[in-house]
Amino acid sequence: MSKTISGFSKLTKEEKIDWLAKTYFNNQPEIIQTITQYWNVDDKLQQLHDDFIENTISNFYMPYGIAPNFIINGRSYVIPMVVEESSVVAAASLVAKFWSTRGGFKTEVVSTTKIGQVHFIHSGDKNELKNYFNQQKTELYAATASITKNMEKRGGGILDIQLVDKTDKLANYYQLHVTFETKDSMGANFINSCLEAIARAFRKDDIEIVMSILSNYVPECLVKAEVSCKVEELDGENPEKFAQKFEQAVKIAEIEPYRAVTHNKGIMNGIDAVVLATGNDFRAIEAGAHAYASKDGQYKSLTHCEVKNGVFRFWIEIPLALGTVGGLTALHPMAKLSLDMMQKPSARILMQIIAAAGLAQNFAALRALTTKGIQHGHMKMHLMNILNQHKATNEEKEVVAAYFEDRTASHSAVVEKLNELRKPKIKWIDFLNEDKVRDTLTSLKTDKKPLFGRMNGQQMVEHLSLVTQIANGNWKVDMYVSDEKSARRKPFLHTDNELQVGFKAPFLSEDPTPLNFNSMEEAINDLLNQVQFFEKVFTETPNRTVVHPFFGELDYEYWKKFQVKHFTHHFKQFGLV
């Protein structure tokens, strides 16, 4: 069956889902259920989301968190963040609180100029092209008058139009390089509309327009954020050493591209999260930031650090073309909420808030890397993801979280601990509790068949008595256990693990030992007497040790641990626990 379809966009949402389920999922009902369960119960709100893009069939949820305690230029902020990666929001929050008592973040907008270009080919005389451009420049502004009128009222518009010769890089290639001020708007539609109007006005027979488009590289739409304090205020056991290592880590990212890429990715963890929360274009921000990191011909760190005269300084300089009006910021209710949460910032203020978030994220990452290592904190935050993946209960989450409070929470370690919790709880037999042992064994019949093994009920009771006699010194078993084997085996007695089904000490015969007593009652009495004698001989000689035929030389505590496991093993053999 062909998987190609015509007229797909004209299908209803339900028809699109039915086609998808039938064509790619063999009509599995759970596929449709998964898709539809993420629809909003408010039909109008769902329709709003459906209209954001084309061929919408559902919503893809992302966590929406908040990072409090940011002090930026003396003003308090709580910053919304949309991100799926654990530890990002927590790291930003912790760093914000750390710097809130050290002067907070100092930020400034360096410039807000945005860029668009008309790319064209001209094979004629260069001087004639320059003359034509100069003659037409006024007309180019005029061609955009109807578009720029409202923007100019807000203080924005076209700042300049320049002719750029790029023929040394590509034959006959030129640009009209146009700079814009778009105020609180990100301005993509405004810029592209202006560029297309300029291209139409500039076109003539010997000028071939290739394309007209804004640039997401905006090195003149720049913001700076900084934190600083005295080195001794950095806290920790050795703040001077920390400052030195921190500075070295940044300098490594300034000269080593392999490190710089990961370094800047961490910065963008914080930046993208706020950009997404405000309905701005994180892809444009990412592209522009990475281009700026390469502006000197080599990819470098976007942040910088200096430790000088006892003062620690850490700062970022990054291009951020953002908007607080128009586009998704005006349509998406959560984007509007995000802006309201940050006290309805202008685009300039939003640039500063987001730069601070990126700097905070980078500080958190570098602090972790140069102290405990990145995995220590990251895996703790990832812990809940692992637990949710394995459907942990709230009680299990509490126990596992407490266990990893001072341990590294690797994925395998978390799963191992969770599996340990989920093991059936072992009801260990207290073999020293005479009444309990007697009550339990009284119900056992002499010829009772086992759940595993070959002994009957009374043979099992007499076997427990016989092994206890080894500890008591009443039965000498001629077995040698080397120190090496004993050292390897004895730690098992400290664990919560049971003796495995099929475990058989080498001194025992293959067939069950013939009965020594005429009744189960006599066998039980003998066992309890042997246990009493066990207590007596070790009480009288506390430092006494006796060789176990498998585990080697054992003292009283080790023998007790073995007896608990041994009694439990055989009680389970007959379903008594």
Side-chain angles (χ1 to χ4, degrees), residues 156-402:
I158 297 174
L159 302 178
D160 192 17
I161 305 175
Q162 297 178 352
L163 175 66
V164 179
D165 184 348
K166 291 278 187 174
T167 56
D168 61 325
K169 302 286 179 64
L170 181 65
N172 304 323
Y173 169 47
Y174 297 85
Q175 301 171 356
L176 293 181
H177 188 87
V178 188
T179 51
F180 298 85
E181 170 58 63
T182 61
K183 304 308 286 184
D184 287 338
S185 169
M186 193 278 173
N189 290 330
F190 168 76
I191 292 172
N192 287 333
S193 296
C194 287
L195 293 172
E196 290 180 359
I198 289 170
R200 286 192 296 270
F202 192 65
R203 180 183 286 113
K204 66 188 187 86
D205 291 343
D206 59 350
I207 292 176
E208 181 185 355
I209 304 295
V210 178
M211 56 186 166
S212 307
I213 187 70
L214 64 79
S215 174
N216 290 128
Y217 182 42
V218 284
E220 294 178 13
C221 188
L222 207 61
V223 61
K224 182 177 179 181
E226 177 179 321
V227 288
S228 65
C229 69
K230 293 179 180 179
V231 170
E232 60 262 30
E233 293 175 355
L234 290 170
D235 292 343
E237 294 180 4
N238 190 336
E240 290 79 12
K241 182 66 175 176
F242 167 73
Q244 178 192 5
K245 285 185 69 177
F246 192 102
E247 183 183 25
Q248 286 298 317
V250 176
K251 290 188 181 303
I252 288 170
E254 288 175 342
I255 59 96
E256 172 50 66
Y258 284 96
R259 170 59 199 144
V261 170
T262 310
H263 178 98
N264 289 343
K265 184 268 181 188
I267 294 170
M268 302 313 292
N269 278 347
I271 287 177
D272 286 353
V274 192
V275 172
L276 269 170
T278 56
N280 276 280
D281 187 349
F282 76 94
R283 298 159 299 274
I285 297 299
E286 279 269 355
H290 294 304
Y292 189 74
S294 306
K295 68 182 187 302
D296 297 325
Q298 177 180 309
Y299 191 89
K300 298 180 179 180
S301 165
L302 289 164
T303 55
H304 309 279
C305 182
E306 178 185 74
V307 180
K308 188 175 180 181
N309 298 325
V311 175
F312 172 90
R313 286 182 62 233
F314 181 51
W315 72 95
I316 186 171
E317 194 174 80
I318 187 169
L320 294 175
L322 301 165
T324 57
V325 297
L328 201 62
T329 57
L331 288 174
H332 200 301
M334 292 301 290
K336 185 178 182 300
L337 175 72
S338 295
L339 294 173
D340 289 347
M341 187 186 304
M342 292 184 287
Q343 303 159 63
K344 299 181 179 179
S346 65
R348 291 175 66 92
I349 297 298
L350 184 60
M351 288 171 69
Q352 295 171 75
I353 293 171
I354 292 180
L359 188 66
Q361 197 65 39
N362 194 221
F363 182 87
L366 291 173
R367 182 168 63 175
L369 282 168
T370 55
T371 52
K372 293 183 177 180
I374 199 72
Q375 286 302 92
H376 181 81
H378 179 77
M379 289 308 295
K380 276 196 174 182
M381 296 307 301
H382 191 49
L383 177 61
M384 286 303 152
N385 288 345
I386 300 171
L387 292 174
N388 287 331
Q389 179 185 345
H390 291 272
K391 297 180 171 58
T393 64
N394 289 335
E395 183 180 353
E396 288 173 335
K397 288 177 182 178
E398 287 182 15
V399 173
V400 175

